[in-house]
Amino acid sequence: MTVYALENSNGIAAGIARGIGDKLVQLEYKIFPDGESYVRVPQKPEGVAILVASLYPNPDKRIFELLMSVEAIKALSSEPLIAVVPYMAYARQDKRFLEGEPISIRVILKSLETLGLDGLVVVDIHKPSVLSEYTSIPSRNVFIDRLIAEYFHPKMRNSVVLAPDVGAIERAKRVAAHLDAEYDYLVKERDRVTGEVKAMPKNLTVEERTVLIVDDIISTGGTMALAARTVLSQGAEKVYAACTHAVMVRGALDLLISSGISEVAATDTVPSPVSKISVVPAAVEELRSLLEELL
Ligand code: R5P
């Protein structure tokens, strides 16, 4: 097998190549004077090709590099090609929230399928069902719940795991199961007098408890900051925040820390100061399982 690294795989391509014992090839890039991207696959794959590409920062450029690389590798070899996409950009636009909007993640998945991609590994994609709804490419979604639980386990005393909204409850439930802790989700309420928005736990009390809030993405940090401020105002002893993809735009980390969060930890799907947990071993495991299915 040959593992290809697209720009900015954040060391994950190297980790995967080490994990499956195969050689790593860096793709070649340049930008044309008019701003167009160029990629070149410098050598043919030996057997199955594995292309590792994290789609942040510069998601639009990265997506196009990914599509061009798939096209190029498929032209070089008739062996299967698997893409490992640790951070799948546009995954949150998974339906038409307003009439006239595109389902952006469908555009990416359909494009990959049209180009002949044979297998896809993603990490904690926003809504896993898109992988079967919008494509028939055989795929795996790497769950990171055990990794998050193991990281925070030593800090958890009388703890509760919270999802920032009901849509994220399954992730909180899975992390809580690994920690043997209770879990709940937050419900937004607006004070009719002051207009202040709070995110209250639906069922549990957080007083004098250690709270771990888990989400798939921290982007501006607004969701986590609101959740942290609310549970601290309700007497939580300590608040930790965990996410899979630390997109962290516009001073998000400062916002989180100033909201009273003691520590933020994320996986390394996106490079950031809080990307402390490696997804490589879990990604290699899922990749092996997909290879068994395909070969
Ligand atoms: C939303 O659907 C996601 O799961 C995250 O809750 C969201 O992306 C967080 O964004 P922000 O950090 O900007 O509040």
Side-chain angles (χ1 to χ4, degrees):
M1 283 186 273
T2 301
V3 179
Y4 294 101
L6 256 166
E7 220 176 346
N8 198 41
S9 96
N10 197 24
I12 294 176
I16 286 177
R18 244 192 330 270
I20 59 172
D22 281 295
K23 74 169 177 185
L24 178 65
V25 176
Q26 192 75 33
L27 299 190
E28 295 173 3
Y29 317 87
K30 65 182 176 192
I31 302 285
F32 287 110
D34 60 0
E36 290 177 355
S37 299
Y38 167 96
V39 293
R40 180 169 175 266
V41 182
Q43 44 184 280
K44 284 188 181 188
E46 290 168 21
V48 174
I50 294 158
L51 173 63
V52 184
S54 215
L55 304 181
Y56 190 85
N58 302 322
D60 294 358
K61 180 171 179 286
R62 304 277 177 241
I63 289 164
F64 199 56
E65 285 173 355
L66 170 65
L67 297 177
M68 289 193 294
S69 308
V70 169
E71 201 276 343
I73 295 168
K74 288 301 290 182
L76 285 174
S77 161
S78 55
E79 293 277 350
L81 166 60
I82 299 175
V84 178
V85 183
Y87 176 71
M88 178 59 91
Y90 288 98
R92 286 172 286 179
Q93 184 71 22
D94 55 21
K95 62 179 180 187
R96 298 185 212 283
F97 297 92
L98 295 175
E99 192 183 10
E101 287 181 349
I103 304 171
S104 309
I105 186 63
R106 181 169 179 266
V107 175
I108 298 176
L109 294 172
K110 286 280 171 215
S111 305
L112 290 169
E113 187 171 312
T114 303
L115 292 168
L117 186 72
D118 301 287
L120 176 64
V121 177
V122 294
V123 178
D124 195 14
I125 193 165
H126 186 65
K127 187 172 155 204
S129 61
V130 298
L131 295 172
S132 51
E133 269 172 61
Y134 301 139
T135 176
S136 53
I137 301 172
S139 61
R140 295 290 185 277
N141 182 32
V142 179
F143 286 102
I144 46 69
D145 318 296
R146 185 178 48 79
L147 305 176
I148 300 279
E150 281 170 3
Y151 182 87
F152 280 101
H153 184 259
K155 304 169 202 277
M156 297 287 108
R157 301 275 174 273
N158 183 22
S159 56
V160 55
V161 180
L162 294 180
D165 55 54
V166 67
I169 187 75
E170 285 304 315
R171 183 179 299 98
K173 183 179 174 181
R174 293 191 304 262
V175 173
H178 288 292
L179 287 167
D180 206 11
E182 290 188 297
Y183 68 95
D184 199 358
Y185 66 94
L186 295 162
V187 184
K188 277 191 189 161
E189 283 177 11
R190 185 178 293 276
D191 186 306
R192 282 168 191 260
V193 181
T194 63
E196 190 191 353
V197 179
K198 292 191 167 187
M200 318 288 282
K202 175 79 174 140
N203 302 305
L204 297 177
T205 169
V206 292
E207 205 175 337
E208 292 180 17
R209 303 183 79 174
T210 301
V211 175
L212 172 61
I213 310 168
V214 291
D215 206 351
D216 59 340
I217 299 171
I218 297 177
S219 180
T220 63
T223 305
M224 279 288 183
L226 173 66
R229 281 198 302 270
T230 308
V231 293
L232 283 167
S233 75
Q234 291 176 345
E237 196 177 282
K238 250 183 192 312
V239 180
Y240 295 108
C243 73
T244 311
H245 310 292
V247 171
M248 307 292 265
V249 297
R250 292 200 297 270
L253 186 55
D254 291 337
L255 174 65
L256 298 178
I257 300 303
S258 66
S259 303
I261 295 174
S262 299
E263 185 183 351
V264 184
T267 76
D268 54 357
T269 58
V270 172
S272 88
V274 299
S275 303
K276 306 169 183 175
I277 302 167
S278 171
V279 294
V280 167
V284 167
E285 211 174 292
E286 291 299 337
L287 180 58
R288 283 190 202 285
S289 145
L290 184 57
L291 283 165
E292 265 175 40
E293 180 187 325
L294 294 178
L295 300 179

